[in-house]
Amino acid sequence: MFGDLFEEDYSSVSNNNGKGKRLKTNALEPPAPREFTNLSGIRNQGGTCYLNSLLQTLHFTPEFREALFSLGPEELGSLEDKDKPDAKEMRQHDVQELNRILFSALETSLVGTSGHDLINRLYHGTIVNQIVCKECKNVSEKQEDFLDLTVAVKNVSGLEDALWNMYVEEEVFDYDNLYHCGNCDRLVKAAKSAKLRKLPPFLTISLLRFNFDFVKCERYKETSCYTFPLRINLKPFCEQSELDDLEYMYDLFSVIIHKGGCYGGHYHVYIKDVDHLGNWQFQEDKSKPDVNLEDIQNKEEIDDPLMILKAILLQEESNLIPVDQLGQKLLKKIGISWNKKYRKQYGPLRKFLQVHSQIFLLSSDESTVRLLKDSSLQAESDIQRNDQRLFKTLTSESLTLNDRPSCPHWFDINDSRVQPIKEKDIEQQFQGKESAYMLFYRKSQLRRPPEARANPRYKVPHHLLSEMDAANIELQIKRAECDSTNNTVELHLHLGPHYHFFNGALHPVVSQTESMWDLTFDKRKTLGDLRQSIFQLLEFWEGDMVLSVAKFVPAGLHVCQTLNGDDLALCEIEIADGEDIFVWNGVEVGGIQIPTGSDCEPLLLNVLHVATSGEGEECQQLIESPHVFPSNAEIGTVFTALAIPEGVILINNTESRGEENWTTIPKEDLKKTFREQGLRNGSSVLIQGSNDGNSLLTKQGKWINTVNEINWLQVKNLSQLESEEEQVKISATLNTVVFDIRIKAIKELKLLKELAENSCLRPIDRNGKLLCPVPDRCTLKEAGLKMGSSLGLCPGKAPTSSQLFLFFALGSDVHPGTEMEIIVEETISVRDCLKIMLDKCGLTGETWHLRKMDWCFEAGEPLCEEDAKLKELMICSGDTLLLTEGKLPPLGFLTVPIWWYQPQGPLPHWKDHQDQTNCTLSQGSVWKASSTPGAPSDAHAEVSLWYLGDLEISEDATLGELKSQAMTLPSLEFSIPSPAFLRAWTVESKRPGRLLRGHQQQLKEYKLGKRTEICLEPLQKEENLGPWDVLLRTQMRLPGERAYGPPVDVLWDTARGWTASSLRQRVADVYSLPVEKIEIAKYFPDKFAWLPVSSWNQQTTKRKKKKKQDNLQGAPYYLKDGDTIGVKNFLVEDDDDFSTVRDDIGREKQKELALGKRKSREALRVQCSDVSTGETPARARGPEASLSIHVGSFR
């Protein structure tokens, strides 16, 4: 009905300057719950306090409220209309002006409805202006309608005085100001007066507080005293006065108050609760005792929690405080927490407050608490001795106070804050900068029905009640979610067994992802609760568990502080969001004792020293290498670390060596620590031998470059313009600006000066590829360029700070140098970027999407959020995006290719599903993994996968639902009884990879990713794997042959550990053989090797002499689901060899392939050295080593 007149936009700040200032909003946080008054305020949405005050007044006008609610749903509208987003009001307006605009809008919107006369019936009145001729007594009158009366404030003592001047006193026309009488047809003496002819049920009076000073030519606010009665008799001001006096009696029920000046301020309202909808209880200021905890001296009083809590609340304003802060103040005052002092006897704090509900009043969500009634400490002690008697007393007093008709319920509603007040408080608004601005009276004869008393649902339509109940339920859910969000912290758990101590700091054994777990935890819970939760999360943990705060430093992870006090909440020990927590035994990691504390924080220093030749003689080649030292170590330990007997140490605290601030450390200061010398991460240390006559520093302390040091850059002409030389060397330092290098290169290449305005420098990698242009404003160090690098002078400007330089290519098979380039704004959306790339490629259509190339130059995850900006998705200059054909599924959905897994299928050629960019994959196609030479048997060597089709399914769906949908694919010609007869695997490296267990687990919990493919394996019987069941494929070796029999699926229960003896016993039971007569080995298909599994122990550490746990999950077996286990029966064969003929062939082919790669790399290196024209010989590269990363299984 109101359209877009009111628009919801959460904000907690009122704009008091009236200049349209935009405020920061928080649309995620729901409104706060109602306080003890049980009345709801309206949140200030940015300068809307005037609107809130008027709406509250109309809401607490029951007749107006019920008249609106009597309209039908099609006339009144519904709660859905409240979210129409259009008008955003951020300026403060005049509430008197709003009152007229609102009533006019209501009259217009109610035309043609059953409430068309609502405003006229409740607020319409008439005034009659009369002029009486003194000669003929002729009366000339004119009637005026009004919805509100405007009365003067200046030079008037109060409302009754103003009404008297307006409607009782007469204005006389005489002398020079005569009146022309139409009856007498001449100028005569006359008297003019005005009277109230018709009075409305509700009288609105606007006070003219704002005036204009014509002398100073400025506006001002009238702040003089202006009284107004709580009950007024309008009979002296009315035209007809023969009625009973009760017909003219009006009671004040609302006062809108303005605080501030004429150019800005704040509105709030005093309202009388006519229907007693609110809880009107408050504390007398004069009876509030001055109680301090310092007055509680003896131990008996401290042992009384009721007395302590009451004393704390009495010291707070309004005796209101959050429950969390109440516990903190208790700890601060008496020096001990509630859990340690009172929990054993009285239970949790919130439960104690609920039990003593006659003293404490908890909010609906139990987040805040206040005193229900005020009394002295002695009275509270009596309350504890006789709770029942006092409860009856308080109840009777409360009813007496609230039910007296002579004691009206007034509330101060200040935006979202509602507080009870007394009638005498209205007198404080007679004058001053905070004073009454609008008055609202109602006829005294208007009586409310008894059923409306304390009944907020009275005469509210049923459809609105249903909508409000649904909205309240949704609001409670949002409040609970918001409370959980505001009181939770994200903790990064670093597990001690997954780290090792190396080079002065902790480093992950495998990868950072595997070694760190994220845990969301309620910061109101205690440290003991956190420890217990981690124990439950890490079921494999044995022994003591110590939690320590850690932090990342350049050297690695450092343990700073051990957390103590299991009874303390996380907020009390100041655990921040995103804190790194190291979980260990508190003593050692990997058998090495770990230094802890901020004093021994590791520092990563750049140590420079003169290199030694092969004969041990020093040369002029300067070597810079990073070294880690504890902060509390002596500087002299540098000699020990470098195996230098003695020498001179010079330090440079700046990050650049080129600056002339090297300082020599005297010998007597070598025993000082690194921290005492002011060294920090990144500082440089220069070591010179004591016998070195050719110092690298002059006597003035200036740096001297040695002959072998590179201090130049090579710039090639790629500007498509001819020059005398193709490339030039430009001398530079790390602090040289790129712009200077570019200009100098243009001059030395003797190119046109116009090229300076439209050119850029681009680094050239060792493969000859041009990289992202370097901004002119950067230095070489900021751009990450090293001395001796090659740069290309290319046409076109470099991207600005708000732009991105991107490479993009079509398809997933990208060859270096074939990418296209584009410069776009970083605020552009993914959809617009995709459109620009398609236009540049000459492509059209809606079936394309973008993928970001990952670190291993493969197509990564797709950019699903098409409306997101590139900056928000962390797209940086130099990134490569791939144009991939295919439309992305909706947000929250996955497109999963489904394969049918046949372990014993035929042997055709495998064709990768990911490479089908130019052809359409037909359902029912059979793709196979190519034969793996050296596999243990044909059954294991060939993995037959039959493509069934793609499923588009929600990430919230369960694995069982995915199997059910896969059973409905038309290409599946098999009859499956139920999803439990299917086993699901992910497809990795063209064969089954990870086993997906748990029919009711959601797909998003598996973290499948956008490119995951799933294969389904049929089973002979239903299967429901538990969390500790491991599926292995065992194969019995055939006697006298280097081959194996068909695979047998074996379920191995690892609840008691992943030990070799347990696995051997399980395999022996399956084949009904004595455990001592079998030997088992795990097969590694990538190496064509078998590793026997026996009862083994790793080497013991020298310090603890403690055996590490026999765990097949770890090195060297890394056992997981789907692994092949070979079994040898010693009763018929005693040979120790597990390999097959295929293994021999596979290893030979691997050797040939490695040899071919080595020869091609050497040929490429020779070719690059021939092409290179640099005078300085290239630094010899060390032999390349393969990198193996193992990702463990955590269930």
Side-chain angles (χ1 to χ4, degrees), residues 1025-1059:
L1025 298 179
W1028 300 106
D1029 291 334
V1030 177
L1031 176 66
L1032 300 175
R1033 302 191 188 277
T1034 61
Q1035 293 180 269
M1036 177 63 73
R1037 187 173 177 90
L1038 301 178
E1041 301 180 20
R1042 296 186 67 192
Y1044 289 85
V1048 176
D1049 289 349
V1050 173
L1051 288 182
W1052 175 34
D1053 186 4
T1054 61
R1056 294 187 178 181
W1058 291 65
T1059 61

Side-chain angles (χ1 to χ4, degrees), residues 365-532:
D365 60 349
E366 299 184 358
S367 62
T368 59
V369 62
R370 74 182 309 275
L371 287 177
L372 186 62
K373 285 292 293 179
D374 206 9
S375 59
S376 64
L377 286 179
Q378 184 61 36
E380 292 297 340
S381 181
D382 296 336
I383 289 170
Q384 188 185 19
R385 291 191 297 267
N386 196 347
D387 290 339
Q388 185 176 3
R389 177 182 59 81
L390 182 59
F391 177 74
K392 293 180 178 179
T393 304
L394 287 174
T395 305
S396 61
E397 288 180 0
S398 177
L399 292 175
T400 305
L401 181 64
N402 292 335
D403 294 343
R404 289 202 310 267
S406 61
C407 187
H409 296 180
W410 281 85
F411 292 93
D412 176 15
I413 304 181
N414 191 344
D415 289 335
S416 57
R417 183 180 180 185
V418 183
Q419 286 185 326
I421 61 171
K422 295 182 178 180
E423 278 188 336
K424 65 179 182 179
D425 294 334
I426 301 176
E427 299 176 2
Q428 301 174 5
Q429 309 303 328
F430 286 167
Q431 61 184 350
K433 288 189 175 182
E434 184 177 6
S435 51
Y437 191 61
M438 285 189 74
L439 307 175
F440 297 84
Y441 286 88
R442 57 183 288 128
K443 271 194 173 183
S444 302
Q445 288 186 333
L446 294 176
R447 300 296 181 187
R448 299 291 297 150
E451 55 269 20
R453 188 179 182 87
N455 183 11
R457 305 170 78 91
Y458 179 69
K459 285 194 175 182
V460 180
H462 179 71
H463 74 280
L464 279 184
L465 289 176
S466 301
E467 292 184 27
M468 287 190 295
D469 291 341
N472 285 333
I473 294 174
E474 182 180 358
L475 182 60
Q476 291 293 338
I477 296 175
K478 289 182 178 179
R479 283 174 179 164
E481 294 176 351
C482 179
D483 179 71
S484 175
T485 302
N486 293 337
N487 291 286
T488 55
V489 291
E490 187 79 15
L491 302 178
H492 305 306
L493 303 181
H494 302 268
L495 309 181
H498 297 168
Y499 277 81
H500 64 148
F501 190 77
F502 172 73
N503 202 14
L506 293 166
H507 300 272
V509 175
V510 181
S511 66
Q512 190 64 49
T513 306
E514 291 295 323
S515 304
M516 184 180 71
W517 289 11
D518 292 334
L519 175 65
T520 302
F521 200 73
D522 193 336
K523 64 182 179 182
R524 295 169 296 185
K525 292 186 178 181
T526 64
L527 179 62
D529 297 334
L530 174 61
R531 195 189 312 275
Q532 186 63 29

Side-chain angles (χ1 to χ4, degrees), residues 850-852 854 858-864 1008-1012:
L850 289 177
R851 293 177 181 266
K852 181 180 178 182
D854 58 18
E858 295 180 355
E861 293 293 331
L863 305 183
C864 300
L1008 298 177
K1010 301 293 183 181
R1011 297 185 298 163
T1012 302

Side-chain angles (χ1 to χ4, degrees), residues 564-835:
N564 297 314
D566 283 1
D567 293 334
L568 297 178
L570 297 188
C571 56
E572 295 176 358
I573 58 181
E574 300 178 351
I575 295 296
D577 190 26
E579 195 84 78
D580 292 291
I581 304 296
F582 190 65
V583 184
W584 60 317
N585 58 11
V587 179
E588 62 178 13
V589 173
I592 301 176
Q593 289 190 352
I594 304 302
T596 62
S598 57
D599 293 340
C600 58
E601 179 180 319
L603 294 178
L604 182 62
L605 305 178
N606 296 320
V607 180
L608 298 95
H609 61 95
V610 178
T612 57
S613 62
E615 291 78 15
E617 298 179 356
E618 292 186 353
C619 59
Q620 289 299 314
Q621 180 67 37
L622 193 64
I623 296 178
E624 180 178 357
S625 59
H627 286 268
V628 178
F629 300 94
S631 302
N632 56 356
E634 297 180 356
I635 294 184
T637 56
V638 176
F639 294 125
T640 306
L642 298 177
I644 298 176
E646 59 181 1
V648 180
I649 298 180
L650 300 97
I651 62 173
N652 182 4
N653 283 323
T654 60
E655 295 182 359
S656 175
R657 314 185 298 181
E659 299 186 9
E660 305 172 359
N661 57 352
W662 287 92
T663 305
T664 304
I665 299 180
K667 288 187 177 181
E668 57 270 16
D669 290 344
L670 292 179
K671 293 188 176 181
K672 290 186 177 180
T673 64
F674 290 94
R675 188 181 299 276
E676 292 173 345
Q677 286 292 347
L679 291 174
R680 58 185 184 273
N681 287 299
S683 297
S684 297
V685 177
L686 175 64
I687 309 299
Q688 287 190 173
S690 57
N691 299 324
D692 189 4
N694 299 323
S695 175
L696 296 179
L697 295 178
T698 64
K699 295 181 180 180
Q700 290 79 17
K702 296 183 179 180
W703 182 268
I704 296 178
N705 293 320
T706 61
V707 251
N708 293 328
E709 186 177 358
I710 300 174
N711 60 348
W712 48 261
L713 294 172
Q714 187 170 267
V715 180
K716 295 182 180 181
N717 180 17
L718 303 178
S719 61
Q720 299 177 356
L721 298 177
E722 294 184 359
S723 61
E724 296 181 0
E725 299 181 6
E726 293 185 359
Q727 57 189 16
V728 292
K729 285 187 178 181
I730 306 297
S731 60
T733 65
L734 289 177
N735 293 324
T736 304
V737 181
V738 174
F739 175 78
D740 297 338
I741 297 176
R742 185 168 63 87
I743 298 301
K744 188 180 295 186
I746 293 175
K747 291 180 180 179
E748 295 193 11
L749 289 170
K750 298 180 181 181
L751 298 174
L752 297 177
K753 294 183 179 180
E754 291 77 8
L755 196 61
E757 301 295 330
N758 189 27
S759 63
C760 62
L761 291 178
R762 298 179 60 177
I764 304 175
D765 66 5
R766 61 183 181 181
N767 296 322
K769 178 183 175 182
L770 287 173
L771 303 181
C772 177
V774 182
D776 283 345
R777 66 182 183 279
C778 295
T779 63
L780 296 183
K781 181 178 180 181
E782 293 172 345
L785 295 176
K786 297 181 179 180
M787 291 300 177
S789 301
S790 295
L791 301 176
L793 181 63
C794 304
K797 294 183 179 180
T800 63
S801 59
S802 62
Q803 292 178 330
L804 298 176
F805 183 92
L806 302 176
F807 298 98
F808 71 97
L810 187 64
S812 59
D813 189 12
V814 181
H815 298 284
T818 61
E819 305 97 331
M820 290 175 278
E821 302 166 355
I822 190 174
I823 296 179
V824 295
E825 295 292 331
E826 62 181 2
T827 56
I828 194 174
S829 65
V830 175
R831 180 183 288 105
D832 295 338
C833 182
L834 174 62
K835 185 177 180 182

